[in-house]
Amino acid sequence: MKIAILPGDGIGPEIVAEAVRVLNVLGEQFEMETAPVGGAGYEAHGHPLPDATLQLAKDADAILFGAVGDWKYDKLERALRPEQAILGLRKTLGLFANFRPAILYPELAGASTLKPEVVSGLDILIIRELTGDIYFGHPRGVRTAPDGAFKGEREGFDTMRYAETEIRRIAHVAFQAALKRDKRLTSVDKANVLETGQFWRDIVTDVHREYPAVALDHMYVDNAAMQLVRAPKKFDVLVTGNMFGDILSDAAAMLTGSIGMLPSASLDANNKGLYEPSHGSAPDIAGKGIANPLATILSAAMMLRFSLNMPEQADRIDAAVKSVLAQGLRTADIHEAGTTLVGTQAMGDAVVKALN
Ligand code: NAD
């Protein structure tokens, strides 16, 4: 099994190092090869997604990704900015289905900003379409407004668009995921305002006819945002487009106490995937040894489950993470009174020890 290791920028290298240590103690033979991506790719080869890095990602059975981005690259032209690497990988590898489970470990109920009774026992799955929507739609740009109340002024514009095939395939992924859980799916859109939203709703409704065992409901994105903080446990699986999913999944992350706890998987049609924590490169804490590596370690567990067909090893990692939380070990982002504050490496050490 070949795993491409792409640590990236900021805290990326620190947290990926801990996940690699965890993979190394499982007793499996993985071929792991590391390559620069994001700002690190730009520094090494003048591009955030160097050719050799893309080739490695294509050749691998799975990709373990840290995070990319740093404010120091904000002045670069858009095509050279670190974040373009992740968009390029998603697009080139056809990674259209993003899985973000938001699970609240009972030990962390107090770390959530919501009341424990609202979030304890939370176990929801957000499925976000990743390769379409306004993030990829054309035309886009800055121009002189051709019409409207501000005609003649400079304006920025983007295009929200979704092809029927794109909606159908993510809907199938979502219904199939719901079948393996509590069989409830909420499709999130903005059908009351956007043409794309009504089209999304119509296609998801049509696909539903193939999954009568799943209960489907539709929700506008503004209401979904509200319900996620009001009564998040009412959800089972949510499916939504690229932009709404981006925002809702970060909100869901906070339900779990910290974005440092939230893993993610981005899969193609054959379950090859890129696995990464849901958070960014956290430049504010990079190099301090205090980042939470658990989201990345849990992402490695998802990789074993979805792409490498090693569900028992994935379960072992999940259990090891639960065990270190039960021991009271906490990085700064989830630390509260009565628990033991540890750094990135010590948290990795504890997971490795629990696995051994
Ligand atoms: P961020 O997720 O990097 O950080 C938000 C806040 O959460 C920060 O206070 C940070 O310290 C904290 N945080 C994040 N991960 C943590 C962890 N593992 N442990 C403890 N605390 C953690 O988001 P941001 O600050 O908006 O963005 C920083 C950079 O990351 C930007 O350049 C952005 O474009 C990039 N980014 C990259 C990805 C990606 O690589 N997939 C995703 C989101 C943002």
Side-chain angles (χ1 to χ4, degrees), residues 292-330:
N292 186 346
L294 292 179
T296 315
I297 291 171
L298 292 167
S299 300
M302 286 183 91
M303 174 175 79
L304 297 170
R305 183 170 287 116
F306 287 111
S307 289
L308 303 185
N309 200 20
M310 298 180 179
E312 296 85 7
Q313 299 288 27
D315 288 346
R316 281 183 66 204
I317 295 179
D318 288 346
V321 167
K322 280 194 187 119
S323 136
V324 299
L325 292 174
Q327 290 163 36
L329 302 183
R330 303 283 188 275

mmCIF file of all heavy atoms in Angstrom, residues 292-330:
data_model
loop_
_atom_site.group_PDB
_atom_site.id
_atom_site.type_symbol
_atom_site.label_atom_id
_atom_site.label_comp_id
_atom_site.label_asym_id
_atom_site.label_seq_id
_atom_site.Cartn_x
_atom_site.Cartn_y
_atom_site.Cartn_z
ATOM 1 N N ASN A 292 -3.166 20.417 18.037
ATOM 2 C CA ASN A 292 -3.819 19.132 18.316
ATOM 3 C C ASN A 292 -3.639 18.210 17.101
ATOM 4 O O ASN A 292 -4.132 18.523 16.018
ATOM 5 C CB ASN A 292 -5.312 19.404 18.566
ATOM 6 C CG ASN A 292 -6.058 18.159 19.006
ATOM 7 O OD1 ASN A 292 -5.545 17.046 18.887
ATOM 8 N ND2 ASN A 292 -7.263 18.349 19.503
ATOM 9 N N PRO A 293 -2.975 17.067 17.277
ATOM 10 C CA PRO A 293 -2.759 16.180 16.128
ATOM 11 C C PRO A 293 -3.896 15.164 15.928
ATOM 12 O O PRO A 293 -3.845 14.353 15.004
ATOM 13 C CB PRO A 293 -1.469 15.442 16.513
ATOM 14 C CG PRO A 293 -1.556 15.330 18.008
ATOM 15 C CD PRO A 293 -2.300 16.559 18.496
ATOM 16 N N LEU A 294 -4.920 15.208 16.797
ATOM 17 C CA LEU A 294 -5.911 14.116 16.769
ATOM 18 C C LEU A 294 -6.753 14.104 15.494
ATOM 19 O O LEU A 294 -7.090 13.039 14.981
ATOM 20 C CB LEU A 294 -6.807 14.170 18.013
ATOM 21 C CG LEU A 294 -6.090 13.855 19.334
ATOM 22 C CD1 LEU A 294 -7.058 13.949 20.510
ATOM 23 C CD2 LEU A 294 -5.423 12.478 19.303
ATOM 24 N N ALA A 295 -7.080 15.293 14.942
ATOM 25 C CA ALA A 295 -7.870 15.299 13.705
ATOM 26 C C ALA A 295 -7.095 14.598 12.586
ATOM 27 O O ALA A 295 -7.696 13.892 11.760
ATOM 28 C CB ALA A 295 -8.210 16.732 13.301
ATOM 29 N N THR A 296 -5.783 14.792 12.575
ATOM 30 C CA THR A 296 -4.968 14.168 11.527
ATOM 31 C C THR A 296 -4.835 12.666 11.781
ATOM 32 O O THR A 296 -4.903 11.853 10.851
ATOM 33 C CB THR A 296 -3.574 14.835 11.484
ATOM 34 O OG1 THR A 296 -3.759 16.246 11.552
ATOM 35 C CG2 THR A 296 -2.847 14.479 10.214
ATOM 36 N N ILE A 297 -4.666 12.300 13.045
ATOM 37 C CA ILE A 297 -4.572 10.879 13.391
ATOM 38 C C ILE A 297 -5.903 10.174 13.057
ATOM 39 O O ILE A 297 -5.926 9.068 12.497
ATOM 40 C CB ILE A 297 -4.187 10.732 14.885
ATOM 41 C CG1 ILE A 297 -2.739 11.199 15.077
ATOM 42 C CG2 ILE A 297 -4.399 9.310 15.380
ATOM 43 C CD1 ILE A 297 -2.282 11.322 16.526
ATOM 44 N N LEU A 298 -7.023 10.852 13.354
ATOM 45 C CA LEU A 298 -8.336 10.267 13.021
ATOM 46 C C LEU A 298 -8.556 10.237 11.500
ATOM 47 O O LEU A 298 -9.253 9.353 10.986
ATOM 48 C CB LEU A 298 -9.459 11.060 13.708
ATOM 49 C CG LEU A 298 -9.489 10.926 15.246
ATOM 50 C CD1 LEU A 298 -10.420 11.981 15.856
ATOM 51 C CD2 LEU A 298 -9.932 9.518 15.665
ATOM 52 N N SER A 299 -7.937 11.189 10.781
ATOM 53 C CA SER A 299 -8.011 11.161 9.310
ATOM 54 C C SER A 299 -7.271 9.928 8.777
ATOM 55 O O SER A 299 -7.709 9.291 7.813
ATOM 56 C CB SER A 299 -7.399 12.423 8.703
ATOM 57 O OG SER A 299 -8.088 13.569 9.144
ATOM 58 N N ALA A 300 -6.139 9.601 9.413
ATOM 59 C CA ALA A 300 -5.405 8.397 9.019
ATOM 60 C C ALA A 300 -6.267 7.156 9.243
ATOM 61 O O ALA A 300 -6.255 6.214 8.438
ATOM 62 C CB ALA A 300 -4.093 8.298 9.805
ATOM 63 N N ALA A 301 -7.043 7.176 10.326
ATOM 64 C CA ALA A 301 -7.956 6.042 10.580
ATOM 65 C C ALA A 301 -9.013 5.948 9.474
ATOM 66 O O ALA A 301 -9.332 4.857 8.987
ATOM 67 C CB ALA A 301 -8.619 6.202 11.955
ATOM 68 N N MET A 302 -9.537 7.096 9.055
ATOM 69 C CA MET A 302 -10.509 7.088 7.949
ATOM 70 C C MET A 302 -9.866 6.532 6.680
ATOM 71 O O MET A 302 -10.500 5.808 5.912
ATOM 72 C CB MET A 302 -11.032 8.503 7.666
ATOM 73 C CG MET A 302 -12.010 9.027 8.699
ATOM 74 S SD MET A 302 -12.641 10.680 8.249
ATOM 75 C CE MET A 302 -14.097 10.283 7.301
ATOM 76 N N MET A 303 -8.605 6.854 6.478
ATOM 77 C CA MET A 303 -7.883 6.367 5.286
ATOM 78 C C MET A 303 -7.807 4.840 5.299
ATOM 79 O O MET A 303 -8.028 4.180 4.272
ATOM 80 C CB MET A 303 -6.477 6.975 5.285
ATOM 81 C CG MET A 303 -5.562 6.463 4.205
ATOM 82 S SD MET A 303 -3.999 7.357 4.223
ATOM 83 C CE MET A 303 -3.177 6.536 5.581
ATOM 84 N N LEU A 304 -7.516 4.284 6.472
ATOM 85 C CA LEU A 304 -7.437 2.834 6.575
ATOM 86 C C LEU A 304 -8.807 2.205 6.303
ATOM 87 O O LEU A 304 -8.915 1.166 5.667
ATOM 88 C CB LEU A 304 -6.956 2.430 7.977
ATOM 89 C CG LEU A 304 -5.544 2.905 8.327
ATOM 90 C CD1 LEU A 304 -5.248 2.671 9.800
ATOM 91 C CD2 LEU A 304 -4.512 2.187 7.471
ATOM 92 N N ARG A 305 -9.857 2.887 6.739
ATOM 93 C CA ARG A 305 -11.208 2.336 6.595
ATOM 94 C C ARG A 305 -11.712 2.439 5.159
ATOM 95 O O ARG A 305 -12.180 1.460 4.590
ATOM 96 C CB ARG A 305 -12.155 3.062 7.558
ATOM 97 C CG ARG A 305 -13.561 2.525 7.560
ATOM 98 C CD ARG A 305 -14.404 3.091 8.688
ATOM 99 N NE ARG A 305 -14.026 2.536 9.981
ATOM 100 C CZ ARG A 305 -13.511 3.249 10.992
ATOM 101 N NH1 ARG A 305 -13.336 4.543 10.878
ATOM 102 N NH2 ARG A 305 -13.182 2.656 12.115
ATOM 103 N N PHE A 306 -11.581 3.631 4.554
ATOM 104 C CA PHE A 306 -12.217 3.863 3.252
ATOM 105 C C PHE A 306 -11.354 3.420 2.071
ATOM 106 O O PHE A 306 -11.865 2.879 1.105
ATOM 107 C CB PHE A 306 -12.561 5.349 3.066
ATOM 108 C CG PHE A 306 -13.719 5.829 3.887
ATOM 109 C CD1 PHE A 306 -13.535 6.711 4.930
ATOM 110 C CD2 PHE A 306 -15.014 5.410 3.596
ATOM 111 C CE1 PHE A 306 -14.607 7.170 5.687
ATOM 112 C CE2 PHE A 306 -16.087 5.862 4.344
ATOM 113 C CZ PHE A 306 -15.888 6.743 5.391
ATOM 114 N N SER A 307 -10.054 3.710 2.121
ATOM 115 C CA SER A 307 -9.227 3.480 0.922
ATOM 116 C C SER A 307 -8.345 2.241 1.024
ATOM 117 O O SER A 307 -8.008 1.654 0.007
ATOM 118 C CB SER A 307 -8.319 4.688 0.644
ATOM 119 O OG SER A 307 -9.065 5.780 0.178
ATOM 120 N N LEU A 308 -7.925 1.852 2.224
ATOM 121 C CA LEU A 308 -6.942 0.774 2.331
ATOM 122 C C LEU A 308 -7.548 -0.522 2.858
ATOM 123 O O LEU A 308 -6.830 -1.508 3.071
ATOM 124 C CB LEU A 308 -5.762 1.224 3.213
ATOM 125 C CG LEU A 308 -5.051 2.497 2.738
ATOM 126 C CD1 LEU A 308 -3.831 2.808 3.587
ATOM 127 C CD2 LEU A 308 -4.621 2.400 1.269
ATOM 128 N N ASN A 309 -8.849 -0.511 3.047
ATOM 129 C CA ASN A 309 -9.561 -1.731 3.441
ATOM 130 C C ASN A 309 -8.971 -2.384 4.691
ATOM 131 O O ASN A 309 -8.744 -3.592 4.728
ATOM 132 C CB ASN A 309 -9.576 -2.716 2.254
ATOM 133 C CG ASN A 309 -10.666 -3.752 2.417
ATOM 134 O OD1 ASN A 309 -11.618 -3.547 3.174
ATOM 135 N ND2 ASN A 309 -10.533 -4.878 1.739
ATOM 136 N N MET A 310 -8.705 -1.592 5.695
ATOM 137 C CA MET A 310 -8.171 -2.108 6.966
ATOM 138 C C MET A 310 -9.040 -1.604 8.114
ATOM 139 O O MET A 310 -8.583 -0.839 8.981
ATOM 140 C CB MET A 310 -6.727 -1.623 7.177
ATOM 141 C CG MET A 310 -5.761 -2.105 6.132
ATOM 142 S SD MET A 310 -4.095 -1.486 6.484
ATOM 143 C CE MET A 310 -3.200 -2.220 5.124
ATOM 144 N N PRO A 311 -10.317 -2.017 8.141
ATOM 145 C CA PRO A 311 -11.222 -1.463 9.145
ATOM 146 C C PRO A 311 -10.809 -1.779 10.583
ATOM 147 O O PRO A 311 -11.021 -0.958 11.480
ATOM 148 C CB PRO A 311 -12.578 -2.092 8.799
ATOM 149 C CG PRO A 311 -12.274 -3.282 7.946
ATOM 150 C CD PRO A 311 -10.993 -2.968 7.231
ATOM 151 N N GLU A 312 -10.158 -2.951 10.782
ATOM 152 C CA GLU A 312 -9.778 -3.278 12.173
ATOM 153 C C GLU A 312 -8.705 -2.322 12.670
ATOM 154 O O GLU A 312 -8.726 -1.905 13.835
ATOM 155 C CB GLU A 312 -9.253 -4.729 12.299
ATOM 156 C CG GLU A 312 -10.270 -5.802 11.992
ATOM 157 C CD GLU A 312 -10.353 -6.113 10.501
ATOM 158 O OE1 GLU A 312 -9.520 -5.591 9.725
ATOM 159 O OE2 GLU A 312 -11.276 -6.862 10.112
ATOM 160 N N GLN A 313 -7.746 -1.998 11.775
ATOM 161 C CA GLN A 313 -6.694 -1.059 12.172
ATOM 162 C C GLN A 313 -7.290 0.325 12.432
ATOM 163 O O GLN A 313 -6.862 1.036 13.340
ATOM 164 C CB GLN A 313 -5.606 -0.978 11.083
ATOM 165 C CG GLN A 313 -4.897 -2.300 10.824
ATOM 166 C CD GLN A 313 -3.956 -2.683 11.953
ATOM 167 O OE1 GLN A 313 -4.156 -2.283 13.103
ATOM 168 N NE2 GLN A 313 -2.946 -3.478 11.658
ATOM 169 N N ALA A 314 -8.291 0.697 11.610
ATOM 170 C CA ALA A 314 -8.959 1.991 11.821
ATOM 171 C C ALA A 314 -9.628 2.000 13.198
ATOM 172 O O ALA A 314 -9.520 2.983 13.951
ATOM 173 C CB ALA A 314 -9.992 2.224 10.726
ATOM 174 N N ASP A 315 -10.298 0.895 13.534
ATOM 175 C CA ASP A 315 -10.947 0.807 14.850
ATOM 176 C C ASP A 315 -9.919 0.921 15.976
ATOM 177 O O ASP A 315 -10.180 1.526 17.016
ATOM 178 C CB ASP A 315 -11.695 -0.532 14.990
ATOM 179 C CG ASP A 315 -12.949 -0.570 14.124
ATOM 180 O OD1 ASP A 315 -13.372 0.505 13.644
ATOM 181 O OD2 ASP A 315 -13.491 -1.672 13.915
ATOM 182 N N ARG A 316 -8.738 0.308 15.757
ATOM 183 C CA ARG A 316 -7.688 0.375 16.799
ATOM 184 C C ARG A 316 -7.281 1.824 17.056
ATOM 185 O O ARG A 316 -7.100 2.236 18.201
ATOM 186 C CB ARG A 316 -6.439 -0.405 16.356
ATOM 187 C CG ARG A 316 -6.553 -1.906 16.533
ATOM 188 C CD ARG A 316 -5.235 -2.573 16.130
ATOM 189 N NE ARG A 316 -4.129 -2.216 17.011
ATOM 190 C CZ ARG A 316 -2.844 -2.268 16.657
ATOM 191 N NH1 ARG A 316 -2.492 -2.643 15.453
ATOM 192 N NH2 ARG A 316 -1.897 -1.945 17.527
ATOM 193 N N ILE A 317 -7.127 2.595 15.982
ATOM 194 C CA ILE A 317 -6.725 4.006 16.162
ATOM 195 C C ILE A 317 -7.839 4.777 16.876
ATOM 196 O O ILE A 317 -7.575 5.539 17.816
ATOM 197 C CB ILE A 317 -6.397 4.666 14.803
ATOM 198 C CG1 ILE A 317 -5.181 3.993 14.179
ATOM 199 C CG2 ILE A 317 -6.149 6.169 14.985
ATOM 200 C CD1 ILE A 317 -4.781 4.544 12.814
ATOM 201 N N ASP A 318 -9.085 4.578 16.426
ATOM 202 C CA ASP A 318 -10.207 5.276 17.077
ATOM 203 C C ASP A 318 -10.230 4.964 18.578
ATOM 204 O O ASP A 318 -10.427 5.853 19.410
ATOM 205 C CB ASP A 318 -11.548 4.856 16.434
ATOM 206 C CG ASP A 318 -11.715 5.447 15.032
ATOM 207 O OD1 ASP A 318 -10.956 6.365 14.678
ATOM 208 O OD2 ASP A 318 -12.606 4.984 14.303
ATOM 209 N N ALA A 319 -10.007 3.682 18.900
ATOM 210 C CA ALA A 319 -10.048 3.280 20.313
ATOM 211 C C ALA A 319 -8.885 3.911 21.083
ATOM 212 O O ALA A 319 -9.042 4.322 22.243
ATOM 213 C CB ALA A 319 -9.993 1.749 20.419
ATOM 214 N N ALA A 320 -7.715 3.999 20.428
ATOM 215 C CA ALA A 320 -6.551 4.594 21.095
ATOM 216 C C ALA A 320 -6.818 6.077 21.395
ATOM 217 O O ALA A 320 -6.455 6.581 22.461
ATOM 218 C CB ALA A 320 -5.302 4.437 20.228
ATOM 219 N N VAL A 321 -7.450 6.779 20.449
ATOM 220 C CA VAL A 321 -7.762 8.197 20.665
ATOM 221 C C VAL A 321 -8.742 8.335 21.833
ATOM 222 O O VAL A 321 -8.563 9.179 22.726
ATOM 223 C CB VAL A 321 -8.334 8.839 19.370
ATOM 224 C CG1 VAL A 321 -8.942 10.203 19.657
ATOM 225 C CG2 VAL A 321 -7.244 8.952 18.308
ATOM 226 N N LYS A 322 -9.772 7.489 21.845
ATOM 227 C CA LYS A 322 -10.727 7.533 22.966
ATOM 228 C C LYS A 322 -9.998 7.310 24.280
ATOM 229 O O LYS A 322 -10.280 7.961 25.293
ATOM 230 C CB LYS A 322 -11.797 6.445 22.787
ATOM 231 C CG LYS A 322 -12.869 6.865 21.818
ATOM 232 C CD LYS A 322 -14.084 5.947 21.921
ATOM 233 C CE LYS A 322 -15.058 6.306 20.826
ATOM 234 N NZ LYS A 322 -15.334 5.253 19.880
ATOM 235 N N SER A 323 -9.054 6.374 24.257
ATOM 236 C CA SER A 323 -8.367 6.031 25.499
ATOM 237 C C SER A 323 -7.518 7.201 26.009
ATOM 238 O O SER A 323 -7.508 7.480 27.206
ATOM 239 C CB SER A 323 -7.574 4.737 25.273
ATOM 240 O OG SER A 323 -6.311 4.826 25.805
ATOM 241 N N VAL A 324 -6.823 7.926 25.108
ATOM 242 C CA VAL A 324 -6.016 9.052 25.615
ATOM 243 C C VAL A 324 -6.918 10.174 26.142
ATOM 244 O O VAL A 324 -6.565 10.855 27.110
ATOM 245 C CB VAL A 324 -5.004 9.622 24.580
ATOM 246 C CG1 VAL A 324 -4.011 8.585 24.147
ATOM 247 C CG2 VAL A 324 -5.674 10.252 23.397
ATOM 248 N N LEU A 325 -8.089 10.336 25.525
ATOM 249 C CA LEU A 325 -9.015 11.356 26.045
ATOM 250 C C LEU A 325 -9.528 10.934 27.417
ATOM 251 O O LEU A 325 -9.653 11.757 28.335
ATOM 252 C CB LEU A 325 -10.182 11.569 25.068
ATOM 253 C CG LEU A 325 -9.807 12.215 23.723
ATOM 254 C CD1 LEU A 325 -11.005 12.248 22.791
ATOM 255 C CD2 LEU A 325 -9.252 13.634 23.919
ATOM 256 N N ALA A 326 -9.807 9.640 27.553
ATOM 257 C CA ALA A 326 -10.292 9.131 28.844
ATOM 258 C C ALA A 326 -9.227 9.280 29.924
ATOM 259 O O ALA A 326 -9.540 9.459 31.102
ATOM 260 C CB ALA A 326 -10.716 7.667 28.701
ATOM 261 N N GLN A 327 -7.930 9.242 29.507
ATOM 262 C CA GLN A 327 -6.838 9.446 30.486
ATOM 263 C C GLN A 327 -6.756 10.910 30.920
ATOM 264 O O GLN A 327 -5.960 11.261 31.791
ATOM 265 C CB GLN A 327 -5.492 9.048 29.862
ATOM 266 C CG GLN A 327 -5.306 7.563 29.620
ATOM 267 C CD GLN A 327 -4.162 7.321 28.632
ATOM 268 O OE1 GLN A 327 -3.167 8.031 28.630
ATOM 269 N NE2 GLN A 327 -4.319 6.322 27.786
ATOM 270 N N GLY A 328 -7.500 11.775 30.250
ATOM 271 C CA GLY A 328 -7.501 13.192 30.638
ATOM 272 C C GLY A 328 -6.460 14.034 29.929
ATOM 273 O O GLY A 328 -6.233 15.184 30.308
ATOM 274 N N LEU A 329 -5.810 13.474 28.882
ATOM 275 C CA LEU A 329 -4.798 14.258 28.167
ATOM 276 C C LEU A 329 -5.479 15.196 27.177
ATOM 277 O O LEU A 329 -6.363 14.797 26.434
ATOM 278 C CB LEU A 329 -3.844 13.318 27.423
ATOM 279 C CG LEU A 329 -3.122 12.294 28.296
ATOM 280 C CD1 LEU A 329 -2.158 11.457 27.467
ATOM 281 C CD2 LEU A 329 -2.378 12.981 29.429
ATOM 282 N N ARG A 330 -5.041 16.457 27.164
ATOM 283 C CA ARG A 330 -5.669 17.458 26.293
ATOM 284 C C ARG A 330 -4.615 18.411 25.737
ATOM 285 O O ARG A 330 -3.785 18.918 26.498
ATOM 286 C CB ARG A 330 -6.667 18.334 27.083
ATOM 287 C CG ARG A 330 -7.791 17.586 27.794
ATOM 288 C CD ARG A 330 -8.877 17.140 26.823
ATOM 289 N NE ARG A 330 -10.015 16.591 27.538
ATOM 290 C CZ ARG A 330 -10.129 15.328 27.949
ATOM 291 N NH1 ARG A 330 -9.159 14.459 27.697
ATOM 292 N NH2 ARG A 330 -11.204 14.918 28.586
#
